[in-house]
Amino acid sequence: MIRQEILKNLKRVVIKIGSSVISNKNKGRSSLECGLSKDWVRHYARKIKVIQDNGYDVVLVSSGAIMAGRERLGLNRADLSIPEKQACAAIGQSFLMHTYEKAFEKKDIKVAQILLSHDDLGNRRRYLNAKHTIEALLERNVIPIINENDSVTVEEIKIGDNDTLSATVACLVDAQLLIILSEVEGLYNRDPSSKIKGEKAELVSHVGRVNEEIERTAGKSNNRLTVGGMYTKVLAAKKTMSFGIPTLVVNGLDEKILENVFSGKDVGTLFWSGKGKIRDRKHWIAHTLKPAGVLIVDEGARKALVEMGKSLLPAGLKKIQGEFEFGKAVKILDEECKEIGRGLVNYNSRDLQQIKGMKTSAIKKSIGDSFYEEVIHRDDLVIF
């Protein structure tokens, strides 16, 4: 019933295709020798054509650029340098888009390439510009194909992986569903490769809340074709769930998977709490911006933030970690170092070191009237 209810309200869907789904790894090659499979790209062009014809907006997030470039450059080793990876991304991205364009062209569908980095999404104006561009494309029945701009990004400004990117895009375009096509069936209650006698891994059909236990269950991936694994998919789902968007992780190597999804069948793992979303700007603060530092608060401040919905004041600050400037995003931790929220600070880290723990009257006496009463105003604050 839950899946049918989601489909009933569905107008826009983001589909993320992982590298392992569109690779030619099933042709007897090792994972490092794999390249792009034109057959799988054509397969998904046909499936997405059907979805679009049924009246849905489709946004595609596709991995595979580095994989495609690695094959074309003959770099079939694991220890690639950053410039080599960027070179693979540069040549592979053009080949990836050319393959998609040819496949969709046969279905009379136009596609558009959008390459994003964290710099694009971390700047509120550029974030909204990207949103407006995608909206304009969808109005003209063009399918945006989105990837991270791996040819120029470095670790400090990377979004991280395309599971995270797909979740960000789903929130950006106000989708009603994110489908992550992977090489596995979904989330299992234990490692499916485990050989422990009497312990059979079972597929988890529905996750209503992503907590620490679910994150531990997700584990890590050993697949060299992918950047993440089930763990990054769970974190992506956690992000979309807070925005009111369900996420479905399914086996993209099943040729009928999208038909099964859109007919409401119980496939894969559905991450969905059924709760409403937090406001767009606060979601951007909580899940798009990379924290530049950490604020540790005392118990009184924790209660004021979590239980009373107050702003964070200097008096409640115990410790400041990292160096950051005015307006940057920071994590807020309690005395047990548990993250309770994130927000945009009204001070740089140097000034906060001077005024932490001080009452408003003492700050005014020390530095005069030119100060903010709040370290983080509640309008710029997200409590988890």
Side-chain angles (χ1 to χ4, degrees):
M1 288 298 294
I2 296 176
R3 298 183 186 226
Q4 293 289 352
E5 193 67 27
I6 291 170
L7 291 172
K8 187 189 302 182
N9 299 313
L10 183 60
K11 295 180 180 178
R12 179 171 295 173
V13 59
V14 174
I15 299 175
K16 184 261 179 174
I17 301 180
S19 297
S20 58
V21 174
I22 52 173
S23 76
N24 52 21
K25 66 176 182 176
N26 294 326
K27 295 183 178 180
R29 301 181 177 193
S30 71
S31 61
L32 291 178
E33 295 174 321
C34 290
L36 186 66
S37 168
K38 294 181 181 179
D39 290 338
W40 274 109
V41 171
R42 286 192 287 264
H43 167 79
Y44 276 109
R46 291 193 298 270
K47 300 301 181 181
I48 291 170
K49 166 68 173 173
V50 173
I51 295 171
Q52 191 185 62
D53 286 347
N54 285 332
Y56 300 109
D57 288 341
V58 180
V59 178
L60 193 59
V61 175
S62 179
S63 303
I66 293 178
M67 175 187 71
R70 184 196 291 267
E71 180 191 44
R72 292 174 75 78
L73 290 175
L75 296 175
N76 56 352
R77 66 181 198 277
D79 57 338
L80 296 183
S81 65
I82 290 177
E84 285 176 326
K85 288 180 181 178
Q86 291 175 326
C88 288
I91 190 170
Q93 182 62 35
S94 60
F95 181 62
L96 178 68
M97 276 306 301
H98 176 74
T99 306
Y100 272 119
E101 189 170 32
K102 289 296 183 184
F104 278 105
E105 190 176 51
K106 292 181 178 179
K107 300 299 172 184
D108 198 29
I109 296 176
K110 291 182 174 63
V111 298
Q113 172 181 266
I114 298 179
L115 298 177
L116 296 172
S117 69
H118 188 269
D119 275 359
D120 298 315
L121 300 174
N123 179 290
R124 185 65 177 166
R125 180 178 294 178
R126 285 155 69 181
Y127 177 92
L128 293 174
N129 284 342
K131 177 183 178 71
H132 296 153
T133 299
I134 295 171
E135 292 286 352
L137 291 169
L138 292 174
E139 286 176 9
R140 291 157 179 81
N141 293 319
V142 177
I143 293 183
I145 300 180
I146 302 172
N147 199 356
E148 183 161 11
N149 197 357
D150 288 318
S151 64
V152 296
T153 53
V154 291
E155 197 62 35
E156 290 76 11
I157 60 172
K158 278 183 70 64
I159 295 166
D161 58 81
N162 275 0
D163 293 324
T164 301
L165 176 61
S166 67
T168 301
V169 169
C171 300
L172 177 73
V173 303
D174 292 316
Q176 291 81 45
L177 178 64
L178 168 62
I179 302 172
I180 297 180
L181 300 174
S182 180
E183 63 173 349
V184 295
E185 300 293 332
L187 176 68
Y188 285 86
N189 63 347
R190 59 175 56 88
D191 184 357
S193 63
S194 174
K195 304 298 183 182
I196 300 177
K197 188 176 180 180
E199 290 193 6
K200 183 180 179 181
E202 296 180 356
L203 184 67
V204 179
S205 175
H206 180 217
V207 174
R209 179 171 176 264
V210 175
N211 52 25
E212 291 181 3
E213 182 182 354
I214 292 294
E215 291 181 21
R216 283 196 301 270
T217 300
K220 302 287 184 178
S221 169
N222 295 318
N223 187 345
R224 286 178 169 174
L225 278 176
T226 63
V227 175
M230 187 52 63
Y231 181 71
T232 61
K233 291 165 180 56
V234 165
L235 295 185
K238 185 177 182 179
K239 181 174 183 173
T240 58
M241 289 168 76
S242 69
F243 202 68
I245 301 171
T247 291
L248 191 56
V249 178
V250 295
N251 184 0
L253 297 176
D254 178 350
E255 294 186 0
K256 293 186 177 180
I257 194 63
L258 289 181
E259 289 98 321
N260 291 336
V261 168
F262 280 86
S263 62
K265 290 185 179 179
D266 188 11
V267 292
T269 302
L270 174 66
F271 294 84
W272 176 229
S273 64
K275 295 180 180 178
K277 68 178 184 179
I278 62 176
R279 283 177 16 218
D280 179 74
R281 185 172 180 276
K282 288 202 172 188
H283 192 275
W284 174 73
I285 292 170
H287 295 294
T288 301
L289 299 181
K290 286 187 176 181
V294 173
L295 306 182
I296 299 176
V297 302
D298 62 24
E299 179 59 17
R302 188 202 67 79
K303 286 184 177 180
L305 296 174
V306 176
E307 299 175 15
M308 302 169 65
K310 300 290 187 179
S311 300
L312 177 60
L313 304 180
L317 280 181
K318 292 194 68 176
K319 189 174 182 181
I320 293 92
Q321 297 177 348
E323 296 182 1
F324 48 86
E325 298 301 322
F326 169 92
K328 292 295 184 180
V330 295
K331 291 183 179 181
I332 304 168
L333 309 184
D334 63 16
E335 291 180 285
E336 296 179 353
C337 290
K338 179 181 178 181
E339 185 175 4
I340 60 173
R342 296 187 184 186
L344 304 180
V345 288
N346 288 328
Y347 290 89
N348 61 43
S349 55
R350 299 178 299 279
D351 291 339
L352 283 182
Q353 293 287 4
Q354 293 181 4
I355 66 172
K356 66 182 180 183
M358 294 175 63
K359 301 287 187 181
T360 301
S361 57
I363 299 172
K364 186 175 182 179
K365 186 176 181 180
S366 175
I367 63 178
D369 293 326
S370 58
F371 72 98
Y372 288 93
E373 289 189 14
E374 306 92 358
V375 174
I376 301 176
H377 192 277
R378 62 185 180 184
D379 289 345
D380 294 326
L381 181 65
V382 182
I383 298 300
F384 297 149

